């Protein structure tokens, strides 16, 4: 690459003209920026926006989040997945509350529960203007291509090298703009497949484009295998309530969430015709209770349960209950 300052200027100029208008880009409140960064981990921007706006309306400050019931925080998060993020967010809000204000240094932000190197650098640079480079998946892809680097970007030593490279390229006077620009370039132009090099502000400095390797990079080893699982969930209904069970605190995932039962939990129950099907992607001490159909909007429900209840609602809109003989209903989930 040619001069670092030419790179910084071209990148930031492009960003200022082309950046997407996202709600967390309209604030410098560290709490709101931190919330957006936690929500954006493993989750697409379009999916995060309504959650972010709803969450901030309900919990506009760390103080409100710190004193909320965990069940309410989880229900505000329901559907975003990776629920440990919500639990850590609340733990961190309580620590912030105890400290009296949001931490202002990289190390103090990094020490909050659920905050790793990337999030600490993002919040430190965007909210406080501190010179810490970020390295998310988008930034790593851009850097690997700029340097025509064919190493496995998932390998820890390569990750460390890319982090050091990002730090070397960082515009220390404008770290917030630089970091956001590098990630935005990866998200909108330097795409994983078929990068839009003709629209790239730093194409002249890109060694992969020069070498013709830009479509083969970056190299990523150890891709996670996908497993397909078929599940059946059962809707047992008593007037305006349905039977649900709650995951215990010792469960490996979705602790404290309410779910529809599966047939093996209800020995002796005969299943009726399937109500419907849906697909859901996801990366035991149980107790049951009747949950009113109105109440289930206020308790944390897993995504599969919400989808199954949506199938029930659609079916009942077409065929209201109470007309004709009682029916057993079930929903097939995969
Ligand atoms: S020229 Fe193409 S491959 Fe290189 S950084 Fe720009 S978009 Fe990515």
């Amino acid at each position: 690459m040619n001069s670092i300052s030419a790179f910084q200027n071209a990148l930031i100029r492009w960003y200022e003209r082309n950046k997407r208008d996202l709600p967390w880009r309209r604030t410098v409140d560290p709490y709101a920026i931190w919330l957006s960064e936690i929500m954006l981990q493993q989750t697409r921007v379009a999916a995060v926006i309504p959650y972010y706006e709803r969450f901030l309306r309900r919990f506009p400050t760390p103080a409100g989040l710190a004193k909320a019931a965990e069940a309410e925080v989880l229900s505000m998060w329901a559907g975003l997945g990776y629920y440990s993020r919500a639990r850590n967010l609340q733990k961190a809000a309580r620590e912030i509350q105890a400290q009296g204000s949001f931490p202002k240094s990289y190390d103090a932000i990094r020490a909050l529960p659920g905050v790793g190197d990337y999030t600490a650098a993002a919040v430190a640079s965007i909210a406080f203007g501190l010179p810490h480079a970020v390295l998310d998946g988008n930034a790593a892809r851009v850097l690997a291509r700029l340097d025509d680097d064919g190493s496995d970007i998932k390998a820890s030593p390569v990750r460390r090298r890319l982090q050091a490279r990002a730090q070397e390229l960082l515009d220390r006077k404008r770290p917030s703009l630089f970091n956001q620009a590098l990630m935005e370039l990866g998200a909108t132009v330097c795409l994983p497949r078929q990068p839009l090099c003709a629209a790239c502000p730093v194409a002249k400095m890109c060694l992969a484009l020069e070498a013709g390797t830009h479509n083969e990079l970056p190299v990523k080893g150890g891709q996670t295998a996908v497993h397909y699982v078929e599940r059946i969930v059962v809707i047992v209904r008593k007037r305006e309530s349905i039977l649900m069970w709650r995951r215990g605190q010792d469960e490996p995932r979705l602790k404290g969430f309410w779910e529809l039962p599966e047939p093996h939990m209800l020995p002796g129950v005969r299943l009726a015709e399937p109500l419907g099907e849906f697909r859901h992607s996801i990366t035991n001490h149980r107790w049951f209770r009747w949950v009113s159909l109105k109440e289930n909007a206020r308790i944390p429900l897993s995504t599969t349960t919400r989808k199954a209840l949506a199938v029930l609602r659609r079916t009942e809109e077409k065929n209201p209950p109470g007309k004709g003989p009682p029916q057993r209903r079930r929903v097939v989930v995969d």
Side-chain angles (χ1 to χ4, degrees):
M1 192 187 301
N2 304 331
S3 124
I4 289 181
S5 66
F7 172 76
Q8 293 165 344
N9 290 337
L11 184 64
I12 290 176
R13 204 176 316 120
W14 167 84
Y15 176 69
E16 289 182 319
R17 288 181 191 154
N18 296 284
K19 67 181 174 190
R20 291 167 293 172
D21 178 26
L22 302 174
W24 44 89
R25 288 187 174 156
R26 298 178 212 136
T27 179
V28 286
D29 174 6
Y31 168 69
I33 290 165
W34 165 59
L35 173 67
S36 72
E37 291 297 344
I38 299 290
M39 286 188 164
L40 286 163
Q41 289 166 11
Q42 329 271 353
T43 313
R44 288 176 306 105
V45 166
V48 165
I49 291 173
Y51 281 90
Y52 170 83
E53 291 179 332
R54 243 189 339 260
F55 201 94
L56 263 190
R57 266 199 306 276
R58 173 63 190 87
F59 305 118
T61 61
L65 177 57
K67 62 174 189 268
E70 184 185 72
E72 189 186 3
V73 177
L74 292 175
S75 73
M76 299 289 292
W77 201 272
L80 269 183
Y82 301 99
Y83 294 93
S84 59
R85 294 184 296 176
R87 290 196 180 85
N88 279 330
L89 201 67
Q90 191 176 36
K91 262 193 234 156
R94 289 178 178 150
E95 287 191 12
I96 295 166
Q97 181 74 349
Q99 289 171 23
S101 65
F102 200 96
K104 294 181 181 58
S105 72
Y106 173 89
D107 288 337
I109 298 168
R110 177 73 177 79
L112 292 172
V115 171
D117 294 341
Y118 163 78
T119 305
V123 176
S125 61
I126 298 170
F128 299 110
L130 298 173
H132 292 272
V134 295
L135 188 74
D136 69 345
N138 287 323
R141 180 169 61 255
V142 174
L143 294 180
R145 285 173 173 165
L146 283 169
D147 287 346
D148 192 22
D149 186 338
S151 320
D152 173 3
I153 63 164
K154 292 219 161 165
S156 302
V158 178
R159 220 58 205 177
R160 280 196 292 278
R161 197 171 73 226
L162 290 171
Q163 177 71 57
R165 183 70 168 133
Q167 194 62 37
E168 184 187 8
L169 294 174
L170 178 72
D171 185 329
R172 298 178 64 85
K173 294 207 182 89
R174 300 176 290 175
S176 168
L177 280 176
F178 179 89
N179 280 337
Q180 294 188 77
L182 189 63
M183 293 189 285
E184 186 78 345
L185 187 71
T188 63
V189 173
C190 194
L191 303 171
R193 267 174 253 139
Q194 313 231 311
L196 310 173
C197 303
C200 178
V202 292
K204 279 197 209 116
M205 307 167 203
C206 177
L207 298 181
L209 181 63
E210 195 179 315
T213 53
H214 49 297
N215 279 318
E216 286 130 49
L217 296 178
V219 172
K220 279 193 205 169
Q223 302 275 18
T224 317
V226 176
H227 299 282
Y228 293 94
V229 178
E230 189 172 302
R231 278 180 61 204
I232 295 176
V233 293
V234 185
I235 293 179
V236 184
R237 183 162 184 170
K238 190 168 73 177
R239 291 185 290 279
E240 286 308 301
S241 296
I242 43 179
L243 189 66
M244 291 195 180
W245 64 278
R246 188 179 194 186
R247 287 183 181 269
Q249 292 301 321
D250 52 346
E251 295 267 346
R253 47 183 291 274
L254 296 172
K255 296 180 187 68
F257 273 67
W258 289 90
E259 298 260 29
L260 292 169
E262 295 181 45
H264 68 87
M265 300 170 178
L266 305 169
V269 163
R270 279 188 301 117
L271 299 179
E273 285 304 301
L275 254 189
E277 298 187 13
F278 57 85
R279 285 175 191 281
H280 176 60
S281 309
I282 47 171
T283 46
N284 280 307
H285 175 118
R286 301 166 173 144
W287 53 283
F288 286 88
R289 62 174 276 208
W290 292 101
V291 177
S292 111
L293 287 166
K294 288 187 190 114
E295 183 190 358
N296 70 45
R298 299 193 301 272
I299 60 174
L301 298 177
S302 70
T303 304
T304 49
T305 298
R306 287 187 305 112
K307 287 180 178 175
L309 292 177
V311 172
L312 174 69
R313 260 193 308 279
R314 283 197 297 275
T315 309
E316 290 194 344
E317 272 163 23
K318 283 191 220 139
N319 185 13
K323 297 198 175 150
Q327 295 170 337
R328 282 185 300 273
R329 299 185 163 89
R330 68 178 166 133
V331 175
V332 177
V333 185
D334 72 342

